[in-house]
Amino acid sequence: MLSYAGIANPHALGAYSVEQNARLLQRYRYIHERLLRTAAGHLPARENWDLKAALGKHLYEDAEAADLLRQRIAELRTSPAALSREPDAALGLLMDELLHARSDLELTVGIYAVIKPALLAAYRQHMAVTQQIVDQPTIRILRGIALDLEEQIAWGGEMIGELERLSAGNGELVLFKEQLNSIMAAAGGIAGLGKKPPQLPGRIRSQQPYVLPVRSVRDPRRMGPTTLARTGVAQPPDDPVRRSLLEKMRVRQEEMTAAELIAAVLYSQQHMPWAFYKDLARHLWDEVRHALFGQAALECEGEDWMSRPQYTSDYDVNAAKIPGAQYAWLSIGIEEGAMKRPGKAGEYEFCRDVAKHPLMAQFQDYDWADEVVHAGLGRKWSPELIGEDIGFVRELAAQELEHFWEQVRTAQRQWSEDASAC
Ligand SMILES: [Fe+2]
Ligand SMILES: [Fe+2]
């Protein structure tokens, strides 16, 4: 169609006024923000490696969705103050109960078989019934988010099948899913347009607060035990170049522990500006991507990385610290520190010029670019988290690093002694 810039159905009256539209988008925004926080809270606690990776990707996509919705809401005569509000007590309860999923399967069902399909249906409905000219900016945003949701739901469906094969039948799962659906119905559905019963449902599991795990979890049935030592590959080659290359691949694969530390910061630190959560969602997903760099490189070399002991120091050693100290340790201590040569530049040049491994060189090239961004995020947010200037934060990070290396060195010594005794 040439007229109306190709916009179909231009004459029909839309279903929503500006005020009604803003109210709907507030609900969508709220759910994406709570999904982000839920995934962050669960990342260190979930067993399945593929689930961890997908939580990292999808929480980043949820943050991007929430960010676009925030911008659109502000265009609909809505005060920015409304962007920090919970739009509906029943939606709040729904997300509180989802946070209390007790297994990989419960969480996967809650996100990918309950909440996200309902979101997708609400967006399809919104795009169909809103006035097509007046609300084109919203339609464009929802279309992009719907594409992500379709991919996420398809992935989730496959993961549910896999987790069901791995675990025995679970009556609690059925009940958990029913409870989420009934709370969603009490909220009038995602959009709140359904008929609401006159009473609000009560709390079930969320009477207790959700607590992050003290140590991060790996699937004990399919993965090696967690460890504070770096254990490399099963049979380190004699050639020092090849040995160092494989060690680098392993260190990348072990970056899931950095993602889990950021997850703890993102989950625990409340009352920061929205930009902080958006930045940390990206930072977290980047660290998951780095772990996937390592996974892909090791698998290309035929290395069985999964049955090796799994390094979890970044999360485990720092678990008891407050979020500001955790973030300063990683972003200033480790990431800003890696900007000094040889650092990240040296890793890339080694893979390109010495090991001459094109795939790993490409991974390190992008890893270096990401780390430049992360050091910048550290300088932006660590002072704000701690309430001190960057000079103070650097001193604090140096002390945190010293404490960290002490523990890792001890574990490393123990590992070497045990290995030579075998
Ligand atoms: Fe990284
Ligand atoms: Fe990083």
Side-chain angles (χ1 to χ4, degrees), residues 255 258 262 283 286-287 290 330 335 367 370-371 374-375:
E255 287 197 53
I262 301 167
H283 191 173
D286 287 353
E287 300 310 341
H290 299 169
L330 178 68
E335 292 171 323
D367 178 80
D370 288 343
E371 294 308 340
H374 299 169

Side-chain angles (χ1 to χ4, degrees), residues 134-155:
V134 301
D135 208 20
Q136 187 276 339
T138 301
I139 294 172
R140 183 171 178 275
I141 290 168
L142 293 183
R143 198 189 311 145
I145 304 173
L147 282 178
D148 279 345
L149 283 169
E150 283 167 13
E151 272 188 25
Q152 294 164 5
I153 292 164
W155 180 91

Side-chain angles (χ1 to χ4, degrees), residues 1-260:
M1 192 171 84
L2 287 179
S3 54
Y4 294 102
I7 294 173
N9 199 17
H11 307 102
L13 178 67
Y16 312 128
S17 67
V18 166
E19 196 192 327
Q20 288 167 328
N21 206 343
R23 213 178 300 140
L24 289 171
L25 299 193
Q26 275 279 50
R27 296 172 73 93
Y28 308 159
R29 167 201 67 76
Y30 175 76
I31 295 167
H32 284 292
E33 288 177 17
R34 290 294 309 264
L35 282 167
L36 158 64
R37 188 153 182 265
T38 302
H42 273 270
L43 193 72
R46 300 284 44 102
E47 293 184 346
N48 187 285
W49 178 266
D50 296 326
L51 176 59
K52 282 180 190 285
L55 288 175
K57 178 169 181 278
H58 298 166
L59 72 78
Y60 160 66
E61 291 167 351
D62 279 318
E64 292 289 318
D67 194 58
L68 291 169
L69 291 166
R70 283 175 160 258
Q71 292 172 39
R72 181 63 183 144
I73 291 163
E75 294 166 2
L76 296 172
R77 296 198 302 266
T78 303
S79 153
L83 293 173
S84 53
R85 261 184 233 145
E86 179 183 273
D88 178 337
L91 276 189
L93 178 63
L94 173 68
M95 301 312 289
D96 287 351
E97 291 294 322
L98 174 68
L99 181 63
H100 283 74
R102 288 178 183 150
S103 66
D104 288 10
L105 185 55
E106 280 193 0
L107 183 73
T108 309
V109 165
I111 294 176
Y112 301 99
V114 178
I115 309 282
K116 294 216 170 199
L119 264 184
L120 181 59
Y123 293 176
R124 285 182 175 149
Q125 172 72 3
H126 193 127
M127 287 190 278
V129 302
T130 197
Q131 215 292 331
Q132 299 292 295
I133 308 173
V134 301
D135 208 20
Q136 187 276 339
T138 301
I139 294 172
R140 183 171 178 275
I141 290 168
L142 293 183
R143 198 189 311 145
I145 304 173
L147 282 178
D148 279 345
L149 283 169
E150 283 167 13
E151 272 188 25
Q152 294 164 5
I153 292 164
W155 180 91
E158 226 181 290
M159 179 49 88
I160 289 167
E162 166 83 357
L163 292 171
E164 279 174 342
R165 270 191 295 282
L166 293 171
S167 59
N170 176 352
E172 269 198 38
L173 170 70
V174 177
L175 186 62
F176 180 67
K177 190 177 174 186
E178 272 171 17
Q179 286 163 341
L180 293 180
N181 275 319
S182 82
I183 299 169
M184 190 151 58
I190 292 289
L193 300 171
K195 196 168 163 6
K196 293 183 190 181
Q199 69 277 80
L200 283 172
R203 293 197 176 279
I204 306 159
R205 295 180 183 179
S206 67
Q207 288 187 66
Q208 307 293 326
Y210 176 77
V211 182
L212 290 171
V214 176
R215 297 197 65 160
S216 50
V217 178
R218 297 289 180 277
D219 187 345
R221 291 162 300 185
R222 299 201 302 166
M223 303 184 84
T226 61
T227 167
L228 303 186
R230 295 209 188 261
T231 58
V233 294
Q235 265 137 15
D238 291 335
D239 172 28
V241 171
R242 173 119 185 111
R243 191 166 63 238
S244 172
L245 176 71
L246 291 176
E247 273 166 14
K248 280 187 178 51
M249 292 176 181
R250 196 74 217 290
V251 170
R252 292 285 77 76
Q253 180 261 309
E254 290 164 342
E255 287 197 53
M256 189 63 85
T257 185
E260 289 171 319

